[in-house]
Amino acid sequence: MDLFTAVILGIVEGLTEFLPISSSGHLVIASDLLGFSGARASTFEVVIQVGAILAVLTLYWKRFLGLLRPGKTSGAFSGLRGIMLLILTSLPASVLGLALHGFIKSLFTPATVTAALVCGAVLMLAVEHLVAPRQNRMPVQTIDQLTAAQALGIGCFQCLALWPGFSRSASTLMGGMILGVRREVAAEYSFIAAVPIIIGAAGYDLLKSLSLFTAQDIPFFLAGSVFAFISAIIAMRAFISILGRNTLKPFAIYRLILAVPVYFFMVR
């Protein structure tokens, strides 16, 4: 475990966490290329996501501050209502993730990532073709219009992200669009909804694997988290700007292109 590896993986995590191209998939690929694998590597890849989450808190601090003000804006994404929506979104993947924790850890391989990249890309293209033309007529044009049923539905779609390589961002975006949420709004909600589920997953994974690490590993985790934080802020700003002018199709095509070398050089 050296700082160069931590920095590279931190940058990869931050740039890919909130894009619909799968951060876990890219981390598996990058770790394999760097020769960094095993239980320690899997835990590191989960924990440095906290750096990316701090980027969300930094960019959307007003939204999170609003969650701490019950009753201030009834009917909006704030206060107790906002907290309940986040709980509904986080619940399905949290329950399924806890139940299948060991099995999910075993899926962190180039082969499963390749399959997830392709499946996710195909679904993204299908959603863009069937749902995207209704963008301007969708009932949810702002996060404040999100309903409890839609929040829970998005949470169910997020379960797809337990498959490494599928992408939590992609599953949230597609789920939101299918359920009537405008693409850019679904993207912003995917950023915010990532906070509770990733913090929970990182904390649980670290506690389960704490015996594998020592105090000497702290600089390694810090370096990865700091670079994940910086690169995540850049990626989120760019992503929202891109979605204002484009669809998800370029990201789907990128996934398909990436799957080819991964399959031929890392799987076969």
Side-chain angles (χ1 to χ4, degrees), residues 1 10 14-16 19 32 62 64 91 148 161 195 214 227 243 267:
M1 297 178 73
L15 290 178
T16 59
L19 302 183
D32 192 77
K62 289 184 179 179
F64 287 98
L91 195 59
V195 173
T214 66
F227 279 88
L243 286 185
V267 178

Side-chain angles (χ1 to χ4, degrees), residues 181-258:
V181 181
R182 185 179 177 86
R183 187 191 295 110
E184 298 94 316
V185 177
E188 290 191 4
Y189 187 65
S190 76
F191 300 160
I192 296 170
V195 173
I197 196 164
I198 290 181
I199 288 179
Y204 180 75
D205 210 300
L206 186 60
L207 286 174
K208 292 269 292 185
S209 308
L210 198 58
S211 61
L212 299 174
F213 301 94
T214 66
Q216 293 178 333
D217 296 319
I218 293 177
F220 189 74
F221 279 96
L222 287 177
S225 298
V226 168
F227 279 88
F229 170 80
I230 296 170
S231 54
I233 287 182
I234 296 171
M236 281 191 292
R237 289 185 181 278
F239 187 43
I240 291 298
S241 176
I242 290 170
L243 286 185
R245 305 185 303 273
N246 298 282
T247 68
L248 296 175
K249 291 180 181 178
F251 298 99
I253 293 171
Y254 168 80
R255 291 172 66 115
L256 292 173
I257 293 173
L258 178 63

